[in-house]
PDB file of all heavy atoms in Angstrom:
ATOM      1  N   PRO A   5      95.538  54.873-106.571  1.00 97.00           N
ATOM      2  CA  PRO A   5      96.680  55.045-107.355  1.00 97.00           C
ATOM      3  C   PRO A   5      96.508  55.069-108.712  1.00 97.00           C
ATOM      4  O   PRO A   5      95.637  54.438-109.398  1.00 97.00           O
ATOM      5  CB  PRO A   5      97.530  53.642-106.943  1.00 97.00           C
ATOM      6  CG  PRO A   5      96.615  52.887-106.128  1.00 97.00           C
ATOM      7  CD  PRO A   5      95.306  53.707-105.887  1.00 97.00           C
ATOM      8  N   ILE A   6      97.190  56.029-109.407  1.00 98.00           N
ATOM      9  CA  ILE A   6      97.014  56.209-110.948  1.00 98.00           C
ATOM     10  C   ILE A   6      98.130  55.399-111.639  1.00 98.00           C
ATOM     11  O   ILE A   6      99.268  55.468-111.343  1.00 98.00           O
ATOM     12  CB  ILE A   6      97.074  57.687-111.215  1.00 98.00           C
ATOM     13  CG1 ILE A   6      96.037  58.568-110.592  1.00 98.00           C
ATOM     14  CG2 ILE A   6      97.017  57.927-112.735  1.00 98.00           C
ATOM     15  CD1 ILE A   6      96.016  60.017-110.616  1.00 98.00           C
ATOM     16  N   ILE A   7      97.549  54.653-112.695  1.00 98.00           N
ATOM     17  CA  ILE A   7      98.522  53.983-113.527  1.00 98.00           C
ATOM     18  C   ILE A   7      99.200  54.845-114.489  1.00 98.00           C
ATOM     19  O   ILE A   7      98.594  55.754-115.103  1.00 98.00           O
ATOM     20  CB  ILE A   7      97.667  52.829-114.405  1.00 98.00           C
ATOM     21  CG1 ILE A   7      97.030  51.927-113.359  1.00 98.00           C
ATOM     22  CG2 ILE A   7      98.619  52.132-115.334  1.00 98.00           C
ATOM     23  CD1 ILE A   7      96.046  50.981-114.114  1.00 98.00           C
ATOM     24  N   THR A   8     100.518  54.697-114.592  1.00 96.00           N
ATOM     25  CA  THR A   8     101.283  55.624-115.540  1.00 96.00           C
ATOM     26  C   THR A   8     101.787  54.743-116.765  1.00 96.00           C
ATOM     27  O   THR A   8     102.130  53.555-116.671  1.00 96.00           O
ATOM     28  CB  THR A   8     102.461  56.325-114.809  1.00 96.00           C
ATOM     29  OG1 THR A   8     103.245  55.376-114.252  1.00 96.00           O
ATOM     30  CG2 THR A   8     102.001  57.290-113.898  1.00 96.00           C
ATOM     31  N   ALA A   9     101.875  55.316-117.956  1.00 96.00           N
ATOM     32  CA  ALA A   9     102.353  54.733-119.208  1.00 96.00           C
ATOM     33  C   ALA A   9     103.841  54.648-119.069  1.00 96.00           C
ATOM     34  O   ALA A   9     104.483  55.278-118.348  1.00 96.00           O
ATOM     35  CB  ALA A   9     102.045  55.624-120.387  1.00 96.00           C
ATOM     36  N   PRO A  10     104.421  53.601-119.762  1.00 95.00           N
ATOM     37  CA  PRO A  10     103.673  52.653-120.608  1.00 95.00           C
ATOM     38  C   PRO A  10     103.250  51.511-119.593  1.00 95.00           C
ATOM     39  O   PRO A  10     103.899  51.107-118.735  1.00 95.00           O
ATOM     40  CB  PRO A  10     104.760  52.071-121.506  1.00 95.00           C
ATOM     41  CG  PRO A  10     106.037  52.443-120.881  1.00 95.00           C
ATOM     42  CD  PRO A  10     105.987  53.503-120.066  1.00 95.00           C
ATOM     43  N   ASP A  11     102.025  51.086-119.900  1.00 96.00           N
ATOM     44  CA  ASP A  11     101.398  50.011-119.053  1.00 96.00           C
ATOM     45  C   ASP A  11     100.234  49.376-119.841  1.00 96.00           C
ATOM     46  O   ASP A  11      99.362  50.109-120.280  1.00 96.00           O
ATOM     47  CB  ASP A  11     100.818  50.672-117.617  1.00 96.00           C
ATOM     48  CG  ASP A  11     100.334  49.614-116.804  1.00 96.00           C
ATOM     49  OD1 ASP A  11      99.591  48.671-117.075  1.00 96.00           O
ATOM     50  OD2 ASP A  11     100.838  49.484-115.656  1.00 96.00           O
ATOM     51  N   PRO A  12     100.170  47.993-119.934  1.00 97.00           N
ATOM     52  CA  PRO A  12      99.211  47.534-120.848  1.00 97.00           C
ATOM     53  C   PRO A  12      97.759  47.733-120.334  1.00 97.00           C
ATOM     54  O   PRO A  12      96.764  47.609-121.135  1.00 97.00           O
ATOM     55  CB  PRO A  12      99.497  45.915-120.702  1.00 97.00           C
ATOM     56  CG  PRO A  12     100.476  45.761-119.655  1.00 97.00           C
ATOM     57  CD  PRO A  12     101.108  47.159-119.349  1.00 97.00           C
ATOM     58  N   ARG A  13      97.661  47.957-118.996  1.00 98.00           N
ATOM     59  CA  ARG A  13      96.205  48.274-118.552  1.00 98.00           C
ATOM     60  C   ARG A  13      95.711  49.531-119.056  1.00 98.00           C
ATOM     61  O   ARG A  13      94.467  49.584-118.993  1.00 98.00           O
ATOM     62  CB  ARG A  13      96.306  48.362-116.929  1.00 98.00           C
ATOM     63  CG  ARG A  13      96.600  46.978-116.378  1.00 98.00           C
ATOM     64  CD  ARG A  13      96.826  47.142-114.867  1.00 98.00           C
ATOM     65  NE  ARG A  13      97.985  47.909-114.585  1.00 98.00           N
ATOM     66  CZ  ARG A  13      98.400  48.313-113.316  1.00 98.00           C
ATOM     67  NH1 ARG A  13      97.682  48.038-112.304  1.00 98.00           N
ATOM     68  NH2 ARG A  13      99.658  48.947-113.235  1.00 98.00           N
ATOM     69  N   LEU A  14      96.408  50.343-119.646  1.00 98.00           N
ATOM     70  CA  LEU A  14      95.999  51.601-120.204  1.00 98.00           C
ATOM     71  C   LEU A  14      95.458  51.482-121.638  1.00 98.00           C
ATOM     72  O   LEU A  14      94.819  52.316-122.297  1.00 98.00           O
ATOM     73  CB  LEU A  14      97.013  52.722-120.232  1.00 98.00           C
ATOM     74  CG  LEU A  14      97.483  53.324-118.839  1.00 98.00           C
ATOM     75  CD1 LEU A  14      98.550  54.183-119.064  1.00 98.00           C
ATOM     76  CD2 LEU A  14      96.213  53.964-118.193  1.00 98.00           C
ATOM     77  N   LYS A  15      95.625  50.117-122.174  1.00 98.00           N
ATOM     78  CA  LYS A  15      95.190  49.817-123.507  1.00 98.00           C
ATOM     79  C   LYS A  15      93.881  49.048-123.549  1.00 98.00           C
ATOM     80  O   LYS A  15      93.292  48.647-124.491  1.00 98.00           O
ATOM     81  CB  LYS A  15      96.318  49.008-124.215  1.00 98.00           C
ATOM     82  CG  LYS A  15      97.614  49.896-124.513  1.00 98.00           C
ATOM     83  CD  LYS A  15      98.502  49.174-125.466  1.00 98.00           C
ATOM     84  CE  LYS A  15      99.684  49.999-125.624  1.00 98.00           C
ATOM     85  NZ  LYS A  15      99.634  51.242-126.156  1.00 98.00           N
ATOM     86  N   LEU A  16      93.390  48.710-122.258  1.00 98.00           N
ATOM     87  CA  LEU A  16      92.179  47.884-122.099  1.00 98.00           C
ATOM     88  C   LEU A  16      90.955  48.756-122.528  1.00 98.00           C
ATOM     89  O   LEU A  16      90.915  49.970-122.282  1.00 98.00           O
ATOM     90  CB  LEU A  16      92.145  47.245-120.677  1.00 98.00           C
ATOM     91  CG  LEU A  16      93.268  46.443-120.432  1.00 98.00           C
ATOM     92  CD1 LEU A  16      93.165  45.978-119.013  1.00 98.00           C
ATOM     93  CD2 LEU A  16      93.326  45.241-121.344  1.00 98.00           C
ATOM     94  N   ILE A  17      89.917  48.169-122.968  1.00 98.00           N
ATOM     95  CA  ILE A  17      88.625  48.796-123.311  1.00 98.00           C
ATOM     96  C   ILE A  17      87.634  48.639-122.093  1.00 98.00           C
ATOM     97  O   ILE A  17      87.383  47.558-121.751  1.00 98.00           O
ATOM     98  CB  ILE A  17      88.054  48.380-124.624  1.00 98.00           C
ATOM     99  CG1 ILE A  17      89.207  48.670-125.659  1.00 98.00           C
ATOM    100  CG2 ILE A  17      86.683  48.876-124.975  1.00 98.00           C
ATOM    101  CD1 ILE A  17      88.858  48.164-127.101  1.00 98.00           C
ATOM    102  N   ALA A  18      87.048  49.683-121.617  1.00 98.00           N
ATOM    103  CA  ALA A  18      86.179  49.690-120.616  1.00 98.00           C
ATOM    104  C   ALA A  18      84.783  49.315-121.010  1.00 98.00           C
ATOM    105  O   ALA A  18      84.385  49.648-122.196  1.00 98.00           O
ATOM    106  CB  ALA A  18      86.138  50.984-119.888  1.00 98.00           C
ATOM    107  N   LYS A  19      83.977  48.817-120.159  1.00 98.00           N
ATOM    108  CA  LYS A  19      82.631  48.376-120.357  1.00 98.00           C
ATOM    109  C   LYS A  19      81.580  49.359-119.960  1.00 98.00           C
ATOM    110  O   LYS A  19      81.652  49.882-118.694  1.00 98.00           O
ATOM    111  CB  LYS A  19      82.312  46.976-119.840  1.00 98.00           C
ATOM    112  CG  LYS A  19      83.211  45.836-120.464  1.00 98.00           C
ATOM    113  CD  LYS A  19      82.834  44.491-120.004  1.00 98.00           C
ATOM    114  CE  LYS A  19      83.591  43.523-120.653  1.00 98.00           C
ATOM    115  NZ  LYS A  19      84.932  43.563-120.422  1.00 98.00           N
ATOM    116  N   PRO A  20      80.368  49.376-120.664  1.00 98.00           N
ATOM    117  CA  PRO A  20      79.457  50.341-119.986  1.00 98.00           C
ATOM    118  C   PRO A  20      78.797  49.786-118.742  1.00 98.00           C
ATOM    119  O   PRO A  20      78.832  48.581-118.474  1.00 98.00           O
ATOM    120  CB  PRO A  20      78.167  50.323-121.173  1.00 98.00           C
ATOM    121  CG  PRO A  20      78.850  49.529-122.241  1.00 98.00           C
ATOM    122  CD  PRO A  20      80.131  48.919-121.997  1.00 98.00           C
ATOM    123  N   VAL A  21      78.312  50.707-118.015  1.00 98.00           N
ATOM    124  CA  VAL A  21      77.644  50.168-116.713  1.00 98.00           C
ATOM    125  C   VAL A  21      76.118  50.281-117.039  1.00 98.00           C
ATOM    126  O   VAL A  21      75.595  51.011-117.733  1.00 98.00           O
ATOM    127  CB  VAL A  21      78.025  51.105-115.520  1.00 98.00           C
ATOM    128  CG1 VAL A  21      79.417  51.125-115.305  1.00 98.00           C
ATOM    129  CG2 VAL A  21      77.464  52.437-115.559  1.00 98.00           C
ATOM    130  N   ALA A  22      75.411  49.333-116.261  1.00 97.00           N
ATOM    131  CA  ALA A  22      73.948  49.136-116.554  1.00 97.00           C
ATOM    132  C   ALA A  22      73.231  50.247-115.901  1.00 97.00           C
ATOM    133  O   ALA A  22      72.107  50.595-116.372  1.00 97.00           O
ATOM    134  CB  ALA A  22      73.554  47.817-115.919  1.00 97.00           C
TER     135      ALA A  22
END
Side-chain angles (χ1 to χ4, degrees):
I6 297 175
I7 297 169
T8 57
D11 191 305
R13 289 172 293 174
L14 293 172
K15 296 190 186 295
L16 299 174
I17 296 176
K19 293 189 178 66
V21 304

